[in-house]
Amino acid sequence: KMSARALPLVLAASLATALLPAPFCGRAPLPGRRGHAIAGQPSSPAPTELEFAIPKPLGLQLEERAEGVFVSLVFEESNAERAGVRRGDRVVATSASVGDAMWEKRSISGVMAAIQTRVDGQVRLRVQRSSSARRRRAWELPLRRSFDVTLSKPLGLALAQRSAANATGEEEERWVEVEAVEAGGSAEASGLVCSGDSVVATS
């Protein structure tokens, strides 16, 4: 019989946590998590600036963060994929409604307005792309595997809700992510829960 103070969780480990060195969050890596990969995050060189001309529909999703507007998803066989846009690109400017002018953008609403009002249907995006030397954030990467863990209170978890917008600017995806594993909680004691894991299900 399960204790009233026990809470089963199903979590998904991302590729980012799968590549972290052992020990991480006070635990040895789970099976399939390699401990020899990234030993630390190298300093990031200046991002590369690129410009793409993409016919509508673009076929991508955008996400607004404190740092700006980022491409959160590029659909397979889409115009954006064929043009060379990648997930994680930061959109810094778009074409005007007509003509060759480029306008800086800092919000999803601004980018979407530029896409929707482009008269000739050929949208130009100027993006910044970080070097591959920078390790991507956990929520930017696909899920690698899921696992179960039963925790007792206090859990010692800081959770955050994440969301991503689609190409029309509407919120399409939401998920809960472990933002931090706090000292003294059952999550830390379990040796299984890691910052960046996504909570898939609970009891």
Side-chain angles (χ1 to χ4, degrees):
K1 184 176 180 180
M2 186 181 302
S3 166
R5 294 175 59 81
L7 176 65
L9 294 176
V10 179
L11 299 105
S14 69
L15 182 58
T17 56
L19 290 177
L20 286 168
F24 185 65
C25 297
R27 60 111 192 272
L30 291 171
R33 293 190 175 188
R34 299 191 299 278
H36 62 274
I38 301 171
Q41 184 166 341
S43 58
S44 299
T48 302
E49 196 161 278
L50 304 167
E51 194 168 305
F52 303 101
I54 315 169
K56 295 197 282 188
L58 276 61
L60 53 76
Q61 291 182 354
L62 301 173
E63 176 183 35
E64 187 169 333
R65 305 179 198 153
E67 304 95 333
V69 179
F70 291 79
V71 177
S72 60
L73 179 65
V74 178
F75 294 103
E76 291 185 8
E77 303 299 325
S78 66
N79 290 329
E81 183 185 56
R82 283 188 282 270
V85 179
R86 296 181 188 173
R87 183 180 182 184
D89 286 348
R90 179 188 176 194
V91 180
V92 295
T94 65
S95 51
S97 298
V98 293
D100 297 329
M102 297 290 289
W103 296 92
E104 290 187 5
K105 302 295 179 183
R106 299 180 184 274
S107 67
I108 280 184
S109 59
V111 174
M112 294 311 307
I115 293 172
Q116 292 164 359
T117 59
R118 181 66 185 181
V119 173
D120 64 5
Q122 189 83 1
V123 178
R124 293 204 324 280
L125 297 181
R126 183 177 299 151
V127 307
Q128 289 182 345
R129 180 173 296 167
S130 296
S131 165
S132 58
R134 183 183 72 82
R135 192 178 70 232
R136 295 167 69 188
R137 298 174 178 85
W139 58 86
E140 297 175 339
L141 293 163
L143 298 180
R144 182 180 177 91
R145 67 187 299 273
S146 63
F147 59 96
D148 298 342
V149 59
T150 299
L151 304 177
S152 59
K153 297 179 181 179
L155 305 181
L157 287 177
L159 302 176
Q161 182 169 284
R162 308 290 186 193
S163 63
N166 60 23
T168 66
E170 299 173 337
E171 187 175 74
E172 184 170 89
E173 184 181 2
R174 305 178 80 179
W175 67 97
V176 175
E177 182 178 285
V178 177
E179 193 166 53
V181 178
E182 299 168 352
S186 62
E188 181 190 49
S190 74
L192 295 174
V193 184
C194 217
S195 175
D197 287 347
S198 298
V199 179
V200 177
T202 67
S203 58

